[in-house]
Amino acid sequence: MTGIVLSASAKATDEPTAAGTVATRHAELFWALSALLWVPQAWLVAHLIAGLLDNGALARSFLPVAGFAALGLLRIWLDARAQRVLTETARAQVSRLRQRILAREAQRSPFDPARPNSAALAAIVTQKLDMLVPYLTRYRPAMARVMVVPLVILAVAWFHSWAVGLVLLVAGPLIPVFQALVGMAAREASARQLQEVGSLNALLLDRLRALADIRLLGATQRALQGFRDRAEALRHRTMAVLRIAFLSSAVLELFAALGVAMVAVYVGFHLLGELRFGTWGAPLTVAEGIFLLMLAPAFFDPLRELGVAWHDKAAAMAVQDEITELDAAPYAPLPGAGTTAVPLAGPVTIQTRGVSVATAERRLSLPDLDIAHGERVALIGPSGSGKSTLLAVLAGLLAPDRGTISLSNVALTGPTVPAWQARVGWLPQGVQFLNASLRANLCLTRPDAPDAEIAAALRLSGAEEIVARLPRGLQTRLGEMGAGVSGGEARRILVARLALSGADVILADEPTADLDEVTAGIVTAGLLALASRGATLVVATHDMRLAARMDRQISLTAASV
């Protein structure tokens, strides 16, 4: 793989890398070149200082000062240019990766047993992917400098004094060795921290979904304490990452300070005449001594930058591992995704033959069905018998492993799936809304629906009084979890949405589950009213009163193959 995971088929690597674009390589080259310009700058400053110490003349100082300033402006331009290109490239790469993950998950079947937790996925897309930006904009440029600048400075120093070159040669490699040792712990700590972030988000989402049940059971304090404990665990893991980062910086600064100090001691005593070795014959001049003193810190500067960015690499590798794991997980795409719909003309009859579906636990063998247009059918049976799975297969939301589904003798595959999905109305057991107004949720498939039709749909579903008591009526924003309405009221609102959609096939999964008798009767009446308009109605239910009002019942058993 030549880049950060940019395709579903990408393999895991030991280290995430940027896509090798020409712009990125040029920016990293500019970054390294800007650091190398310090060598001629230091040479100019050293000879200027040596000249001032020698005769105190200022007349010849203009050219060195002008040269130093010109090189400084060039360094500033190179740094700015490189940073701008690196930032733009990194953000573009992360944006493409984010879009790729979102597009892939948007085409995943909602009934895929390997579907990742939505909160954990949101943490990857909104938080963790941004951790790749510092890696691309700081660690990789720092690595480019480390591969070039210290070697050039070492060669220049060795040319003037083999003793100074020897000091740098010994002190320099110790830093990456200890950085690598610390980096192993940093990667593990970063991975643990990122996993805790994802699990904490998932825990929060689960608690929000079950908030009403938690309050009814009087478990509010217990839930809060559990969340505090997990938040405290995240704090400890975050501090562990910071401790490793500080340890890494301390190791680097220790060896860098020792290396600079040893060069300073040698040059000082050599210029005083106390040390007469370490050069290639003639002793160092004042200019050469100052030049070497100014090069010594510059030799360690790229290593310092690399040490500062080392944590960025550890975090990026942890994110890379999560993305690789996400890509490697089983994936069941939404049937018909990415194909052009082929219209299905006229009333449709539904036939299934030999259909079976592999679930997380076993393979379910589903019964053969023949459902006429306009028929009302109840799917009954114990939990785990495959009622919800059969509904998902009929809706075109889950592709069967075996068998065929036909719509008036036309196979439900490929281009026919999107056309079929457009004709199906789905009433799930777990109700969720778009984070938009109630009107927008009702008119999801018909944004321009007139007020008269909306009012008629609300009357059909018995939801008029629900809208009337909301603070802003149809303009009320309920949020994704439907704050402000109960579970039964939310299902009545969804029945109104089905009425507005004009779907000629209604599939309802446990529409009366967990509802009181009155609310269950209202929901049942709404569904029957839709069926009376000519729509085919198939419900999966444990409610025998609802099943008794259907034209026929199909009993499923927990059969597996």
Side-chain angles (χ1 to χ4, degrees), residues 236-364:
H236 282 295
R237 293 190 175 183
T238 302
M239 293 305 298
V241 173
L242 292 177
R243 282 195 296 269
I244 294 173
F246 284 124
L247 174 62
S248 174
S249 297
V251 169
L252 187 149
E253 291 298 332
L254 172 63
F255 286 102
L258 289 175
V260 173
M262 291 177 67
V263 171
V265 169
Y266 169 78
V267 170
F269 278 99
H270 185 87
L271 293 178
L272 291 173
E274 298 296 329
L275 296 177
R276 302 183 182 276
F277 65 89
T279 61
W280 301 102
L284 294 175
T285 65
V286 173
E288 291 175 332
I290 296 174
F291 180 50
L292 292 174
L293 286 175
M294 298 181 72
L295 287 184
F299 175 84
F300 294 101
D301 280 344
L303 297 172
R304 285 193 177 94
E305 292 178 9
L306 186 64
V308 171
W310 197 265
H311 175 66
D312 297 330
K313 177 193 174 184
M317 292 174 70
V319 174
Q320 170 82 30
D321 290 342
E322 289 200 28
I323 297 173
T324 302
E325 183 179 352
L326 179 66
D327 285 337
Y331 178 78
L334 184 68
T339 60
T340 302
V342 174
L344 294 168
V348 173
T349 59
I350 306 171
Q351 305 90 27
T352 69
R353 294 293 182 268
V355 172
S356 65
V357 177
T359 67
E361 296 82 16
R362 65 186 188 283
R363 182 182 297 276
L364 287 173

Side-chain angles (χ1 to χ4, degrees), residues 289-472:
I290 296 174
F291 180 50
L292 292 174
L293 286 175
M294 298 181 72
L295 287 184
F299 175 84
F300 294 101
D301 280 344
L303 297 172
R304 285 193 177 94
E305 292 178 9
L306 186 64
V308 171
W310 197 265
H311 175 66
D312 297 330
K313 177 193 174 184
M317 292 174 70
V319 174
Q320 170 82 30
D321 290 342
E322 289 200 28
I323 297 173
T324 302
E325 183 179 352
L326 179 66
D327 285 337
Y331 178 78
L334 184 68
T339 60
T340 302
V342 174
L344 294 168
V348 173
T349 59
I350 306 171
Q351 305 90 27
T352 69
R353 294 293 182 268
V355 172
S356 65
V357 177
T359 67
E361 296 82 16
R362 65 186 188 283
R363 182 182 297 276
L364 287 173
S365 179
L366 303 176
D368 293 344
L369 301 178
D370 287 279
I371 303 176
H373 175 72
E375 190 175 8
R376 301 178 300 182
V377 178
L379 304 177
I380 60 175
S383 297
S385 59
K387 299 187 300 296
S388 297
T389 301
L390 179 55
L391 278 186
V393 170
L394 294 179
L397 298 177
L398 181 64
D401 292 53
R402 302 173 185 169
T404 60
I405 305 170
S406 300
L407 309 171
S408 298
N409 298 320
V410 177
L412 183 61
T413 56
T416 60
V417 176
W420 173 243
Q421 291 169 343
R423 298 180 63 168
V424 171
W426 178 263
L427 180 61
Q429 184 175 356
V431 178
Q432 285 186 314
F433 295 98
L434 295 178
N435 189 17
S437 67
L438 177 56
R439 182 188 182 93
N441 277 279
L442 286 171
C443 304
L444 191 61
T445 58
R446 295 181 57 199
D448 57 348
D451 292 342
E453 291 191 29
I454 296 176
L458 292 173
R459 283 195 301 273
L460 179 143
S461 64
E464 285 180 303
E465 71 276 11
I466 301 173
V467 178
R469 67 172 174 76
L470 291 174
R472 298 184 59 198

Side-chain angles (χ1 to χ4, degrees), residues 490-554:
R491 289 185 198 170
R492 288 154 66 181
I493 291 173
L494 289 193
V495 172
R497 182 165 74 187
L498 291 175
L500 279 171
S501 70
D504 55 4
V505 178
I506 307 297
L507 305 177
D509 188 9
E510 299 288 357
T512 61
D514 305 321
L515 302 183
D516 61 80
E517 186 175 349
V518 174
T519 304
I522 295 173
V523 172
T524 300
L527 291 174
L528 292 175
L530 293 176
S532 68
R533 296 180 173 183
T536 303
L537 176 62
V538 182
V539 297
T541 183
H542 287 94
D543 186 350
M544 298 310 298
R545 288 172 297 184
L546 171 61
R549 302 185 66 176
M550 300 293 106
D551 296 333
R552 63 187 173 108
Q553 302 173 15
I554 299 175

Side-chain angles (χ1 to χ4, degrees), residues 15 85 101 113 271 297 542:
E15 176 181 335
V85 172
I101 293 175
L271 293 178
H542 287 94

